[in-house]
Amino acid sequence: MNIQIRSAWNAFRQSPHAPKWLTWAAINVSIAAYFGFGLVAPASVSKTAWLPGETTHGHYQIEMDCNACHDPGRSADGPSGSDVMQDACIRCHGEQLDRAKDTHPAKKFRDPTNAERLAVLDAQNCLSCHQEHVPEQTLTMGLTLPADYCWHCHQEVADSRPSHRDMAYDSCATAGCHNYHDNRALYEKYLDDHHGQPDHLELASLPRRSTAASLSGVFRPDRPLAIDQADHPATQSVDQRVLDDWATTAHARAGVNCTHCHGGNGDTAWSEAVAMESCQQCHAGQVASFQTGKHGMRLAVGLPAMTPDQARLPMHAGQAHAQLDCNACHPGHRFDTQFAAAEACLQCHADDHSLAYRDSAHAALWQEELAGSGAVGSGVSCASCHLPRIEGETGIWVNHDQNANLRPSETMARQVCTHCHGLEYSLSALADPRSVASCFGDAPTERIESVQMAHAWFLQRQAKRDARLKKP
Amino acid sequence: MMKLNRNQQLAAAALTVCAVLPLAALSGCSNSEASSTPSGGITPQQFADGVHAVMMADRTVYATHVVTNLNKQDAPVKAFEYWEDTENSIPLPAQMFRMGAELVDENPEAGFTYALRSKWPLNDQHQAKTELEQTALDYLSDNPGENFYGEEELGDQKYFVAVYPDRAVAEACWSCHNEHPNRGDDYPEFAKDDVMGGVLVRVPL
């Protein structure tokens, strides 16, 4: 047998075409190895070749971790469509939907009387409306079915809401009136409650943060440390400026010492870089929310931190390789929340909306607040709008998911805008692309009618009731 | 027929006892009544009657002793349609009932669904959704004091459907409904013990 193989090999070597065949074989093996490695490799660019199509703006950062959505081992129920696990969607978005008081949760469709409707539009399955890798049919909010989907269930809406007669079904969610999942700023009672408000409220101010109360760690302001108590290892040379900065921060006032963040206390080795897990010890809510937004979502699935060169929005080239972790916005030892609130954003972001900020009325208010001539909470930084202050069980804390009130953007009306503006003005501004592009430097040109319509409907109902009860 | 080994037989017997006894107790039937059914368990109707008894007990207690009591005391807390976004407010009895139904819907172990229905719904979600439901509501109107039982097929699944009269048990029920701005022109003036709609229990067969 060996003799036969050897003689065949010798005959092949002596063939004039042997080099060509060898080259062909090598190329094929290389191609197979490249694709094969992509299949088994951990999350990385090696998997690019296996992407069936461009992913949406919400998922492209983690597209190299195919298993984030396709791993059958993490699903108890099996694939729900296109080999994607339904529970993969819920793993990342379930809590957001709960917080948004999802108006179309799957449970709403479990009533057996919906069987016929579900046969047309399976509204219990995220993938019925949000497919991935199909950029040619993806609309805003990752919607991948025709925008008049409301028709399937709400054909008779005009019976109870005559004002809706003749309205096109593809306009339901595009005019500041309705959103499929999050209607907190748009449901009729809320709209009516805010009817008649002026564009600019007399008392315009953001809620005050209760940072200390929202901390999850054991450190509290009653254990202040002085500069001579810094416990960095003696072998570690530390710049005096760094120590001075640390001593002026809330960290020193709360008893957070060098080794709490950098290690080097005997159990752990000293590290110049501070891991996100160190921040998480005390700022659990902030870190968790950071990882649900675009800035931190790669870290959430174990990928290297996001860098601006990976962004689809325009970014400043000089920051292309900056790593987006806690220190990206809270650098050095000052952890300056004022820097983090605007300058940190603008050092990377270079889209029209961001570039217009410095010339906006919002920025002028922010500068006044920084200068001390404006009241605390009266300024509007990037963070004022994109990192909303949320009332939690322990007080007001900052949600570090900068996408939280962009799903959809009307969410921002309730969580942010209405602290200073009337609801109708807020919804109108958010629905006006020109106003958004100018960072709200331009007032909205058209008024959203949903507030007026809701108010008219409540008035009509009340008038009918009064007439029946024969009230004056 | 599949043969079971001794351990499997014991497990099956234990499961049967665990499943049947609580349901029999729930239905209000005696053990002898429950065992008189062909399968040795309870019928869909007995099951529906049982869960309906529990629902109506909770519903009556909430309407009578919580909502009506708050109203009588002029308490700062009121049952209010928009309770989620209004301070000092709690859900209306119908909303509480629907939220309970949604939780049951979410529970894959529950094995049944339930809902409120009415010929005069203040909330469109409570109108009849199928022909059988409409028939049931008409039957309850025409036959005061009786229940309606039937079967229907929805999405290739057969269901046993029981619909029970939903009566105005507390003053808060009829006064709120009669004054509600959503009421249509044909809305009846409800009074104590009037049938305002139906409680529907649907059990897959």
Side-chain angles (χ1 to χ4, degrees), chain A residues 146-430:
Chain A
D148 61 352
Y149 57 92
C150 304
W151 178 84
H152 292 292
C153 295
H154 299 282
Q155 295 162 50
E156 289 155 7
V157 65
D159 292 347
S160 56
R161 300 287 191 282
S163 58
H164 288 51
R165 187 160 290 128
D166 300 328
M167 286 185 180
Y169 281 92
D170 61 0
S171 70
C172 306
T174 57
C177 295
H178 300 282
N179 282 307
Y180 189 83
H181 293 296
D182 187 347
N183 263 318
R184 284 172 295 173
L186 298 165
Y187 91 94
E188 56 201 10
K189 178 65 165 47
Y190 183 76
L191 293 168
D192 184 45
D193 283 347
H194 291 75
H195 172 264
Q197 288 182 312
D199 292 350
H200 296 81
L201 304 183
E202 199 172 332
L203 289 172
S205 179
L206 290 177
R208 297 286 294 273
R209 289 177 294 150
S210 19
T211 308
S214 71
L215 293 179
S216 50
V218 296
F219 300 104
R220 290 289 179 265
D222 56 356
R223 297 170 210 164
L225 293 169
I227 199 164
D228 58 356
Q229 291 176 291
D231 68 349
H232 57 85
T235 53
Q236 196 68 37
S237 74
V238 177
D239 192 303
Q240 187 60 38
R241 186 179 54 81
V242 166
L243 286 175
D244 290 342
D245 282 349
W246 165 75
T248 61
T249 64
H251 277 177
R253 288 200 298 280
V256 180
N257 218 323
C258 309
T259 54
H260 288 129
C261 303
H262 290 279
N265 57 2
D267 297 331
T268 53
W270 176 269
S271 168
E272 281 295 309
V274 175
M276 196 169 60
E277 288 71 22
S278 294
C279 309
Q280 201 167 10
Q281 293 177 73
C282 297
H283 302 280
Q286 288 83 349
V287 170
S289 57
F290 173 74
Q291 292 184 73
T292 61
K294 284 186 184 172
H295 286 165
M297 65 191 290
R298 285 172 59 87
L299 294 167
V301 296
L303 288 166
M306 167 74 172
T307 53
D309 65 328
Q310 297 171 317
R312 287 184 176 172
L313 283 176
M315 297 283 161
H316 289 299
Q319 291 292 319
H321 306 299
Q323 297 222 328
L324 274 169
D325 53 18
C326 305
N327 278 307
C329 302
H330 299 284
H333 288 74
R334 299 187 68 84
F335 316 106
D336 189 343
T337 52
Q338 292 182 335
F339 171 81
E343 291 306 315
C345 315
L346 298 174
Q347 68 186 356
C348 294
H349 284 263
D351 56 287
D352 289 346
H353 176 83
S354 305
L355 293 174
Y357 169 73
R358 289 187 207 276
D359 296 324
S360 70
H362 283 162
L365 289 168
W366 176 240
Q367 290 306 321
E368 285 172 22
E369 182 177 333
L370 292 183
S373 54
V376 175
S378 64
V380 185
S381 65
C382 307
S384 303
C385 301
H386 295 289
L387 303 183
R389 298 179 181 193
I390 306 289
E391 185 163 2
E393 289 176 6
T394 52
I396 308 284
W397 67 287
V398 174
N399 183 352
H400 279 57
D401 175 355
Q402 85 296 340
N403 297 112
N405 54 16
L406 294 172
R407 305 185 194 108
S409 55
E410 283 88 351
T411 307
M412 199 181 288
R414 180 165 179 148
Q415 292 196 150
V416 179
C417 308
T418 47
H419 289 303
C420 303
H421 295 282
L423 181 63
E424 184 186 301
Y425 180 87
S426 304
L427 290 174
S428 304
L430 290 166

Side-chain angles (χ1 to χ4, degrees), chain A residues 101 107-108 110-113 115-116 156 160 184 187-190 193 414 457-458 461-462 464-465 468-469, chain B residues 80 82 84-85 102 105-106 113 117 124-125 129-130 133 154-155 159 178-183 185 189 202:
Chain A
K101 299 186 188 302
K107 66 183 177 187
K108 202 164 192 169
R110 289 208 180 98
D111 186 325
T113 58
E116 282 185 25
E156 289 155 7
S160 56
R184 284 172 295 173
Y187 91 94
E188 56 201 10
K189 178 65 165 47
Y190 183 76
D193 283 347
R414 180 165 179 148
W457 188 68
F458 275 96
R461 292 197 327 162
Q462 189 60 40
K464 211 169 156 186
R465 180 171 180 264
R468 194 174 49 75
L469 297 175
Chain B
F80 184 49
Y82 300 104
E84 277 187 284
D85 228 13
E102 285 175 0
D105 278 358
E106 281 184 77
T113 59
R117 296 287 186 256
D124 287 345
Q125 292 185 61
K129 302 277 181 68
T130 65
E133 289 186 8
L154 300 168
Y159 293 93
N178 287 344
E179 291 182 19
H180 201 282
N182 275 7
R183 58 175 276 173
D185 296 332
E189 287 292 329
R202 186 175 268 117

